[in-house]
Each structure stands twice: as structure tokens, then as C-alpha cells.
Amino acid sequence: MADRELGFTTKMLTTPYAKQDPYNSLHMPVYETVAYEFETAEDIAGAFQDKKPAHAYSRSTNPSVEYLERKIVTATGGRAVLAMASGMAAISNTILALVKPGENILVSPHLFGHTYGLFHKTLRNLCIEPRFCNLLDYENLEKNIDENTRLLFFETVTNPQLEVANIRKLVKIAQKHNVLVVADSTLTPINVFSAKSFKIDVEIMSSTKFISGGGTSVGGIVVDTGVNDWSEVPTLVSFHEKKGDMALMAKLRKEIFRHFGPALSPRAAQLQSMGLDILELRVERSYENCLRLAEHFTNHPSIKKLTYPGLASSEYYQLSKEQFNGIPGTIMTFDLSTMDDCYSFMDRLKIIRRATNMNDNKSLIIHPWSTIYAEYPEPLRMEMDVRETLLRLSVGIEDVDDLIGDMEQALT
Ligand SMILES: *Cc1c(COP(=O)(O)O)cnc(C)c1O
């Protein structure tokens, strides 16, 4: 065979285990264990002192979790990967590893609700200042940068506004000012988007979404893309001296992740490893369904405004093609006339489920204003561009004609 790079699904089905399985199991077993036995006292000391890497305790590492991490390394071409108990754990741990009190972070107010809460409340209380700015206004963005700006955080496609970041532009501005770039790519799965090729320093995703294979388990992923050698980040200086370009992973594994303790369970790691095997198939089907639904309903008389950046009529269509292979996720939003209309539409649905979460096999609908964002005062919700007439639909893999039929009957 020529040296052609393997396709995504082939890579997922052929990623080797870190160690050969003693029974030659073709499916990676679930290692439901806390601790691991060592032959000698010297061996266990060697493991603790990093002289002889080995699993010792499952809060730090576990073979099933390690296998998931290896698959993500294979998929992304990253330097190293750390899987955690949730997307929020992945975001908060990464920021705490890179930013110290007194420093600030550039971030859009258009964010997943709990990420907004993390910046707006929790990080502020730790004296890390979020500078909320419009990431589509590059001049203003640059004005917000000062000597204490450590990083720029953005979502590749924002949830639920579905605003598409112009990643090359953002990375260029950040690099000019020596600002780190951390991207949450949850909406644009790793088979369609390569953070490394855009020179993003750290990629984060909630594996609860696409990677879990259909709403099976909660998890989060941190990818050190290999773009940065970490020699110039103040919080990583001592780790850089000892571990070189593995400094970020070392800081997480030996300090932040170890001390906060958000370990992914072995069972969740197994479900998510299986999710990766069928990720590409599911993304393709959900995308086809999402596009068909968006095209079908975009001019429906009851729908005021339908947003899907994969639609040819979207202002983000071209950018989505360049950045995400034309697949800017499988989430669409639309506005009905009133909030009452939203509620009664939701209540009439028979196939599409009323639930939070996204990228399940099942299509899921939610009214963000009265749920994920309900805790925020109205003016803040307006600033986040979350309207009371807005619905968010995560399109699943059902037969598309059944989804169209369900929407049709619920809209009348
Ligand atoms: C769901 C989500 C998160 C949080 O992930 P959890 O696994 O629920 O903690 C973060 N960012 C985005 C864009 C999300 O959709």
C-alpha cells in the first residue's frame, strides 16, 4: 500500500492498545479497577517517580481511559491528550493550568451557558478577568489586549448563536500579541475540523456530545495540539524545565487535574472509544438530515428566522466550507413568533425529544431562554443573543422524512 494517510474511521478501528491484551481481546476491555499491583517496592517507587511509567491509581490514569486518549491522539495528530469527567472539567482545568490571578482572558459573550458562568463568576472570583468582547470586531479585540492578556478562548461555532469564528484571523491577532489560543470545538467534531492545522494551541471538546456515540456518557477532552512548545508561559516554567514540550500535560497531570480530581470513569471511556468508531457515520447522517431540515423549513411561514451555517444562504457558508469541510455541526436554531408558540410547538412534537444535550442519535429540542440561560438577567441574555422566541434543535440520525413530518405537524 502507498503511504496514503488512513481515513478517519479506519484510524479509529485500528488504533493499537498501549499494551497487548493478554487474551488478544479484539475489543478493548473495560478496566474497572482503582489500583494496580507492582512486582517490587522499587517498581512502585519507579512508577510514582516517573522513572518507569505505569498505571498506579485510576484517578490519575487508567488503561481504558488511556485507550480513548490514544484514539484522540490518532484522530487529531496532537502531541498529547487528557480525557476528563466532563467538558466543563476540561475547560476549567486547562484555564487554571495556563492563567494566573491578575491575568485576563479574551472571550466572546456568545458561549455555552455554563462556560459563560465559569468566566463570569468563578474565574472572576479567582481574580482571573474575563474580557468579554465581540470576536467578529477585530479592531476592538486588539484594543482589549494588554500585557496581562494570557489567552483567547472561543468556540469554533458558538452554542446556541451559531456564530462561526474566523479562526485564521483570530489566531493571527493572538500570535501577534503573544496570546495563547484555546478553542472549544464541541460543535465541529474532529473528523471535520483540525485545530492543529489552524495553529490553535489547545483544543477542548465536550465528549458528552458527538464522541459519546449518542448521549451515553459525560466526558471532556483536552488536546495539546503540538503547536506551542510552552517555553514562554509563566505558569508552566518549572514544568518546561523538567518536561520540555510536555509542560502543559505535566502541569495538568501532576498538579491541576490530579488535585481537582475530575477523572473519567473507565466505563465512560469505553463508551466514548466505541463512539469514535462510528463518529464519522453519525456525523454524516446527522449533517444530511440537518441540511435537509434547514432547507425545507427556512421559508416556512411560521418560522421567523432559521439559522444553520451550512445553508448556502448563510453568511458563514463559505467560512464553514473552508474551516469545517462544509459541516459546521448539526445544530440549527429558529425563531417562532412568541415564547408561547415555542412552548406549544415543543409540546406537539412526537419524535423530536424535549431534552438538553446535543449530538445524540435522537433529535433534541430545547428553549434556551427558559432553561440553560434562565439564571441570567434579561439584558444579559440579550447581550448573549439568546432570545425568548429562539429554539435550538440538535438533529439526530432518524429518517429525515419522519423528522420533517414531525416538525410540519407541530408547526400547524
Ligand atoms: C456541552 C458543552 C460544554 C460542556 O460540556 P459538558 O460535557 O456538559 O461538561 C462545553 N462547551 C460546549 C460548546 C458545549 O456544547
Side-chain angles (χ1 to χ4, degrees):
M1 200 163 47
D3 298 349
R4 193 184 82 86
E5 199 191 335
L6 297 177
F8 181 86
T9 299
T10 312
K11 278 187 195 166
M12 292 303 91
L13 294 169
T14 56
T15 304
Y17 308 156
K19 277 189 184 176
Q20 179 159 10
D21 181 76
Y23 300 99
N24 292 323
S25 168
L26 195 51
H27 181 86
M28 177 69 181
V30 190
Y31 284 85
E32 284 284 12
T33 179
V34 171
Y36 308 80
E37 192 178 6
F38 290 81
E39 285 289 323
T40 65
E42 200 182 332
D43 284 347
I44 192 167
F48 272 74
Q49 294 167 30
D50 263 353
K51 290 180 184 142
K52 224 172 151 190
H55 298 289
Y57 189 67
S58 286
R59 171 158 47 72
S60 296
T61 64
N62 167 282
S64 300
V65 177
E66 179 185 34
Y67 181 55
L68 171 66
E69 292 167 344
R70 284 173 73 91
K71 285 175 93 158
I72 307 258
V73 168
T74 309
T76 59
R79 176 186 287 139
V81 168
L82 176 47
M84 297 192 197
S86 70
M88 290 313 302
I91 297 171
S92 54
N93 279 251
T94 301
I95 288 173
L96 292 176
L98 293 171
V99 186
K100 61 181 198 302
E103 294 183 332
N104 66 71
I105 300 176
L106 302 171
V107 62
S108 162
H110 296 171
L111 281 178
F112 171 68
H114 298 162
T115 310
Y116 185 89
L118 170 71
F119 282 97
H120 179 66
K121 295 183 190 151
T122 317
L123 292 178
R124 264 211 184 108
N125 287 339
L126 297 173
C127 299
I128 292 171
E129 181 202 350
R131 292 200 171 163
F132 290 106
C133 35
N134 178 355
L135 295 186
L136 303 174
D137 180 349
Y138 307 106
E139 221 172 282
N140 181 54
L141 179 66
E142 276 199 272
K143 281 199 196 121
N144 274 284
I145 299 177
D146 64 19
E147 70 281 3
N148 291 320
T149 305
R150 179 58 52 209
L151 69 83
L152 163 68
F153 181 94
F154 67 89
E155 294 175 1
T156 50
V157 176
T158 68
N159 173 13
Q161 301 81 8
L162 304 183
E163 199 175 272
V164 178
N166 188 324
I167 301 171
R168 280 191 214 290
K169 276 204 183 137
L170 291 176
V171 170
K172 202 167 155 202
I173 293 170
Q175 284 182 341
K176 180 171 149 199
H177 297 277
N178 215 4
V179 167
L180 300 170
V181 181
V182 178
D184 176 339
S185 66
T186 300
L187 268 69
T188 52
I190 46 179
N191 64 311
V192 302
F193 174 64
S194 162
K196 183 181 173 171
S197 69
F198 284 89
K199 305 234 178 316
I200 288 165
D201 298 296
V202 185
E203 179 182 23
I204 290 173
M205 61 206 98
S206 164
S207 50
T208 313
K209 312 294 163 57
F210 265 125
I211 293 174
S212 77
T216 65
S217 50
V218 177
I221 303 286
V222 180
V223 183
D224 173 348
T225 59
V227 168
N228 200 310
D229 71 4
W230 306 118
S231 58
E232 287 176 26
V233 182
T235 53
L236 301 182
V237 169
S238 65
F239 285 98
H240 188 262
E241 280 164 12
K242 281 180 276 174
K243 303 282 180 185
D245 65 10
M246 288 299 281
L248 171 63
M249 276 298 143
K251 170 89 176 177
L252 284 167
R253 287 205 185 270
K254 302 273 165 203
E255 196 183 314
I256 309 291
F257 170 70
R258 176 193 278 176
H259 297 164
F260 284 101
L264 185 68
S265 78
R267 171 73 174 141
Q270 181 207 31
L271 292 168
Q272 298 187 11
S273 293
M274 291 162 67
L276 284 170
D277 292 347
I278 53 165
L279 179 76
E280 188 176 38
L281 304 180
R282 296 175 52 250
V283 170
E284 277 169 10
R285 169 81 169 219
S286 299
Y287 163 68
E288 281 165 17
N289 284 357
C290 189
L291 187 61
R292 268 284 299 283
L293 282 180
E295 283 169 351
H296 188 92
F297 287 102
T298 193
N299 293 319
H300 191 285
S302 306
I303 289 180
K304 298 297 152 222
K305 179 185 171 200
L306 184 149
T307 305
Y308 177 55
L311 269 179
S313 57
S314 163
E315 61 186 304
Y316 295 118
Y317 179 69
Q318 207 50 43
L319 195 56
S320 300
K321 269 180 108 166
E322 289 161 28
Q323 299 184 154
F324 317 121
N325 222 353
I327 306 187
T330 58
I331 312 283
M332 71 168 79
T333 61
F334 49 88
D335 285 79
L336 300 182
S337 296
T338 64
M339 181 160 138
D340 280 349
D341 288 345
C342 292
Y343 273 36
S344 34
F345 168 75
M346 285 179 70
D347 291 348
R348 281 194 291 263
L349 290 167
K350 297 191 172 99
I351 294 169
I352 299 170
R353 316 294 183 97
R354 291 165 291 274
T356 191
N357 195 22
M358 308 184 308
N359 313 128
D360 198 319
N361 293 327
K362 304 173 180 84
S363 294
L364 307 178
I365 195 155
I366 195 160
H367 181 249
W369 172 274
S370 60
T371 55
I372 308 168
Y373 296 87
E375 67 183 285
Y376 297 112
E378 289 198 17
L380 197 51
R381 278 182 266 179
M382 299 311 282
E383 195 186 314
M384 294 169 172
D385 203 16
V386 174
R387 303 175 292 276
E388 64 177 0
T389 52
L390 181 85
L391 289 167
R392 184 187 81 187
L393 175 65
S394 169
V395 181
I397 62 172
E398 300 93 340
D399 294 279
V400 71
D401 291 329
D402 296 330
L403 295 176
I404 290 174
D406 198 28
M407 295 253 305
E408 293 265 4
Q409 65 80 26
L411 277 170
T412 50

